Amino acid sequence: PASLSEAYKGQEEIPPYHAFTIGTVRFVISDLRSESTDEHMYSKAQKQWLFDEISNATLYDFVVWVTPSPWIGKPKKDDNWLGSPEDRSELSDHITS
């Protein structure tokens, strides 16, 4: 396709975040571009989905999380987790629980 939007044409109701498994490895692909707001990195639906994926991590030998926004670095409100400290802290707490 000429563009990503053309590739997803007609599938607007399908969220671009997804997960798949290869062998005993779970790949979790988040989308932090289309659903981010000024207050949050992701929508409530994606947050719940991501937290559910993390909660099920013990079912796999490895979980690889792919995030399009940097987890570390200098705070930048519009494009990384340090710019959303509440979301980052909440997700960190969930990962370690």
Side-chain angles (χ1 to χ4, degrees), residues 42-72:
Y42 38 43
S43 66
K44 289 181 182 180
Q46 184 175 177
K47 175 184 171 181
Q48 185 60 55
W49 168 82
L50 181 57
F51 278 44
D52 290 346
E53 286 289 336
I54 292 166
S55 294
N56 291 325
T58 58
L59 301 174
Y60 309 97
D61 289 333
F62 298 98
V63 175
V64 177
W65 175 40
V66 179
T67 174
S69 296
W71 184 258
I72 59 173

Side-chain angles (χ1 to χ4, degrees), residues 4-35:
L4 188 58
S5 61
E6 287 180 26
Y8 285 103
K9 194 169 193 154
Q11 299 181 41
E12 290 82 8
E13 68 282 351
I14 300 171
Y17 52 89
H18 60 283
F20 59 93
T21 305
I22 298 176
T24 61
V25 180
R26 184 72 167 169
F27 293 86
V28 179
I29 316 299
S30 57
D31 167 47
L32 305 176
R33 301 283 192 238
S34 70
E35 296 188 340

